[in-house]
Amino acid sequence: MSDTPGIRIEHVTKSYKNGPFAVDDVSLDVRDGEFMVLVGPSGCGKSTLLKLIAGIEETTAGRIYIGERDVTLLDPRKRDIAMVFQNYALYPHLSVRANLGFGLKLRKASKAEIASRVDEVARILGLEEMLERKPGELSGGQRQRVAMGRAIVREPAAFLMDEPLSNLDAKLRVSMRAQLSRLHERLGVTTVYVTHDQVEAMTLGQRVAVMRAGVLQQCDTPDQLFDHPANLFVAAFIGSPAMNLVEAGVEDGEARFGTAVMGLPEDSPLRAGAGRRIVLGLRPHDIKLADAGIAGVVQVVERLGTETHVVVGIDAPRLRSRALADAVESAPDDDILLAEDDRASFTVVAEARVPVDVGDRVALAVNPARLHGFDAETGEALRAPAEARAPVAA
């Protein structure tokens, strides 16, 4: 990849009259040829940011560059980008061939060039047999391939994709994700992809930018987001099943919640939380059913064929952190179905045919090195002393 960003966003803000910031001082570099995913819940500003890059919306403040060109004030047609939308945006009265070549026709390309590029893109996307059909004769997956083909045929500087797979059924989405990854590897065009689906973000993105309420929370590789979330929001949003969270205290090198006591390694970031309320986080894949450990009772067993999700109630109070409620954008009691259930519960990802049933008493083994810690008031991730002193990379 080039050292020059394919797209550079500098302190971009978008506000509407009498409303909050839709995008709030976002700075982001999308590297040349990179597949960058913008992810977050509905209303977080990810689609607005994409429209700002495209020029469909005007920025309130900040600058946007594509390559070395400042495109902040440029008309969308002059930005050399191609968009793929959620609803395909195909012309129903035109054939697949005419839809694919429409953008080139507007640019007054020659008939020979249009035919050549349309045939090449149809071959790449497996659309050769459908060129004379109308969109109404195609399946959802085929229509989405036509929409992508129409973007590819223009050979733009960047692709902007706004939830292009959200109208497809679950099985087809998985298939289309794989095709998108292969297509990007083949074309190498800078791509910014918007989705609310964190699984889609983690499987597609070379880097993923997590947004919330118009603010960029963290931008990093999927592995880094999963292993080192910057705050409670990223921790709760990234990962499936979601991270287990419980309020804890740290004292004398030990983390304590309910009746559980765990010794912490010398370099554990949780040690930075000594003397204050913290939220302890555990990924479901980092907990094991064992002969000894944190005592609990099985509440739910979900057998998925390849693995089993086991929800275990433990002897600790349910998390009531305001930071968590803010993080998951809910009231503190929204996650409780049974009013009398005031205990915390941990989800465990176990082997497919683990011999457990609802009501069984079990023990949970945890590797203390895999614990995550967050300040209970601010929601920010705790850092090990050495990490906290290290300079932040630009």
Side-chain angles (χ1 to χ4, degrees):
M1 289 186 184
S2 164
D3 291 335
T4 302
I7 299 173
R8 191 165 79 252
I9 300 164
E10 294 185 350
H11 302 288
V12 164
T13 293
K14 176 63 179 179
S15 61
Y16 297 99
K17 188 176 181 180
N18 301 323
F21 289 134
V23 174
D24 190 356
D25 194 23
V26 169
S27 293
L28 184 67
D29 281 355
V30 184
R31 299 162 188 154
D32 185 25
E34 183 176 31
F35 198 118
M36 171 70 77
V37 176
L38 306 180
V39 69
S42 179
C44 73
K46 56 189 184 296
S47 290
T48 301
L49 183 57
L50 197 75
K51 291 173 184 175
L52 292 172
I53 297 170
I56 296 171
E57 297 265 12
E58 294 182 1
T59 60
T60 303
R63 314 300 298 177
I64 297 172
Y65 297 83
I66 297 179
E68 291 303 314
R69 287 197 310 154
D70 183 345
V71 301
T72 311
L73 302 177
L74 279 186
D75 184 273
R77 290 174 295 178
K78 297 179 181 178
R79 297 195 181 198
D80 196 19
I81 52 92
M83 285 199 73
V84 181
F85 298 94
Q86 175 180 342
N87 61 358
Y88 318 132
L90 300 176
Y91 296 103
H93 62 289
L94 297 180
S95 66
V96 168
R97 181 185 297 279
N99 268 285
L100 289 174
F102 191 79
L104 294 177
K105 185 177 179 181
L106 287 180
R107 291 184 173 189
K108 296 183 168 47
S110 69
K111 289 184 179 180
E113 182 184 2
I114 294 173
S116 173
R117 280 161 70 171
V118 165
D119 287 344
E120 172 66 8
V121 167
R123 185 183 62 77
I124 291 172
L125 295 175
L127 296 170
E128 300 104 315
E129 304 300 319
M130 308 168 201
L131 286 173
E132 306 312 321
R133 297 186 197 173
K134 300 286 178 64
E137 302 174 69
L138 305 179
S139 69
Q142 290 167 340
R143 282 193 293 250
Q144 193 54 273
R145 276 188 282 157
V146 175
M148 290 178 186
R150 189 174 58 187
I152 293 166
V153 79
R154 291 175 49 195
E155 299 180 352
F159 293 135
L160 306 181
M161 301 188 180
D162 192 4
E163 306 219 38
L165 307 184
S166 61
N167 284 344
L168 306 179
D169 63 55
K171 186 175 180 180
L172 190 51
R173 275 204 308 274
V174 173
S175 171
M176 288 296 292
R177 282 207 307 261
Q179 291 184 43
L180 266 175
S181 292
R182 291 171 58 197
L183 188 61
H184 178 262
E185 190 160 332
R186 179 170 182 171
L187 299 175
V189 178
T190 305
T191 301
V192 182
Y193 184 103
V194 162
T195 181
H196 65 277
D197 184 338
Q198 58 95 11
V199 174
E200 196 169 281
M202 298 287 277
T203 52
L204 276 175
Q206 292 171 315
R207 284 191 302 154
V208 177
V210 183
M211 294 188 65
R212 174 188 175 227
V215 177
L216 179 63
Q217 302 291 306
Q218 186 175 358
C219 179
D220 217 320
T221 63
D223 285 348
Q224 284 293 107
L225 290 178
F226 188 83
D227 291 332
H228 303 287
N231 54 41
L232 259 176
F233 176 78
V234 177
F237 191 81
I238 296 294
S240 182
M243 182 184 283
N244 298 298
L245 299 166
V246 66
E247 191 165 318
V250 176
E251 186 179 339
D252 299 327
E254 296 176 327
R256 305 179 181 188
F257 55 95
T259 57
V261 179
M262 286 182 289
L264 298 173
E266 288 294 329
D267 61 349
S268 172
L270 273 71
R271 286 177 175 266
R276 54 178 159 153
R277 291 168 56 245
I278 72 165
V279 175
L280 181 148
L282 283 163
R283 293 286 183 196
H285 293 80
D286 291 331
I287 309 175
K288 306 296 181 187
L289 297 174
D291 295 327
I294 302 168
V297 178
V298 176
Q299 297 174 329
V300 179
V301 178
E302 297 179 334
R303 300 192 183 276
L304 306 179
T306 56
E307 63 188 27
T308 299
H309 296 175
V310 184
V311 180
V312 178
I314 62 171
D315 186 13
R318 178 167 52 83
L319 182 63
R320 297 181 183 276
S321 165
R322 183 69 253 172
L324 175 67
D326 289 342
V328 297
E329 298 183 339
S330 66
D333 294 327
D334 279 356
D335 61 338
I336 298 301
L337 181 62
L338 302 176
E340 69 272 15
D341 189 354
D342 204 39
R343 293 189 305 170
S345 61
F346 282 173
T347 299
V348 182
V349 175
E351 61 189 34
R353 290 168 180 79
V354 62
V356 295
D357 288 301
V358 173
D360 287 355
R361 294 190 172 275
V362 296
L364 307 179
V366 175
N367 178 356
R370 301 294 295 170
L371 295 175
H372 299 262
F374 307 90
D375 185 282
E377 297 303 320
T378 67
E380 294 301 307
L382 300 175
R383 291 185 171 191
E387 187 182 357
R389 290 195 299 270
V392 178

